[in-house]
């Protein structure tokens, strides 16, 4: 697999993960709470995988690599909150820490966009990262002990979907950039049959 293919794969795994986690944070009455929690866990595992792949495709020692690695570690911390046998308060602390770390990682990756001359496709990354940072920040605020259960739920729900939207926008940007630059992508002409 080429570096471009890995980057494309990582971006879409991360996007699928954020959407999966957002569904897990949604009030879907036909799904059990255990199933929704499983979706949130799977979503964070996919996000960690996608971010780790993206870190591996970035230039060694770059801000982009650091930002993606930090985001992946935030997801791993959240996964720990789901799978470790912890009290609810400690579990919530891990979720909050994971979201804060993801927001920090997104901010570091965002700062990498300001190196060099920006291109149109960089706007996808810019807006996508900003939305992910906002989403993770709202989720972290939602974990505040001073909020009511309803307020926490609403902030987590809205933050999850904002993060998912940002992740999908970023993945679209990566797709457009790679497919534009990939000279091996050929569009086949329709077959013509003799009359």
């Amino acid at each position: 697999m080429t570096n471009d293919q890995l980057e494309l794969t990582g971006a879409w795994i991360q996007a699928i993960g954020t959407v999966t986690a957002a569904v897990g944070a949604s009030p879907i009455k036909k799904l059990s709470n255990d199933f929704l929690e499983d979706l949130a866990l799977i979503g964070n595992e996919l996000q960690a995988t996608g971010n780790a792949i993206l870190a591996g495709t970035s230039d060694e020692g770059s801000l982009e690599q650091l930002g993606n690695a930090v985001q992946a570690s935030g997801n791993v911390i959240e996964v720990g909150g789901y799978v470790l046998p912890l009290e609810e308060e400690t579990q919530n602390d891990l979720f909050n820490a994971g979201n804060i770390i993801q927001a920090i990682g997104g901010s570091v990756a965002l700062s990498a966009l300001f190196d060099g001359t920006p291109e149109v496709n960089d706007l996808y990354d810019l807006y996508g990262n900003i939305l992910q940072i906002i989403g993770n920040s709202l989720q972290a605020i939602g974990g505040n002990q001073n909020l009511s259960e309803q307020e926490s739920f609403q902030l987590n729900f809205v933050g999850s979907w904002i993060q998912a939207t940002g992740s999908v926008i970023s993945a679209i940007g990566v797709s457009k950039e790679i497919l534009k630059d990939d000279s091996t992508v050929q569009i086949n002409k329709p077959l013509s049959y003799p009359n």
Side-chain angles (χ1 to χ4, degrees), residues 93-179:
D93 288 343
L94 285 179
F95 295 151
N96 292 340
N99 280 309
I100 291 168
I101 291 170
Q102 285 180 72
I104 291 168
S107 299
V108 172
L110 179 66
S111 64
L113 292 173
F114 299 107
D115 281 348
T117 307
E119 297 179 13
V120 173
N121 285 336
D122 291 336
L123 291 176
Y124 287 94
D125 227 3
L126 176 70
Y127 295 134
N129 270 313
I130 289 171
L131 287 173
Q132 289 180 73
I133 293 164
I134 291 169
N136 283 126
S137 298
L138 286 174
Q139 291 173 74
I141 293 167
N144 186 328
Q145 302 289 336
N146 298 325
L147 297 174
S148 71
E149 190 174 322
Q150 181 65 21
E151 289 170 326
S152 292
F153 174 79
Q154 289 172 343
L155 284 169
N156 188 49
F157 169 69
V158 171
S160 293
W161 281 105
I162 290 172
Q163 180 190 8
T165 302
S167 185
V168 170
I169 290 170
S170 291
I172 290 169
V174 169
S175 299
K176 288 177 72 73
E177 181 179 332
I178 288 174
L179 295 177

Side-chain angles (χ1 to χ4, degrees), residues 20 22-33 35-36 39 153 157 161:
T20 304
V23 171
S26 299
I28 303 172
K29 292 181 181 178
K30 293 188 178 189
L31 301 177
S32 71
N33 286 339
F35 185 73
L36 291 172
L39 287 177
F153 174 79
F157 169 69
W161 281 105

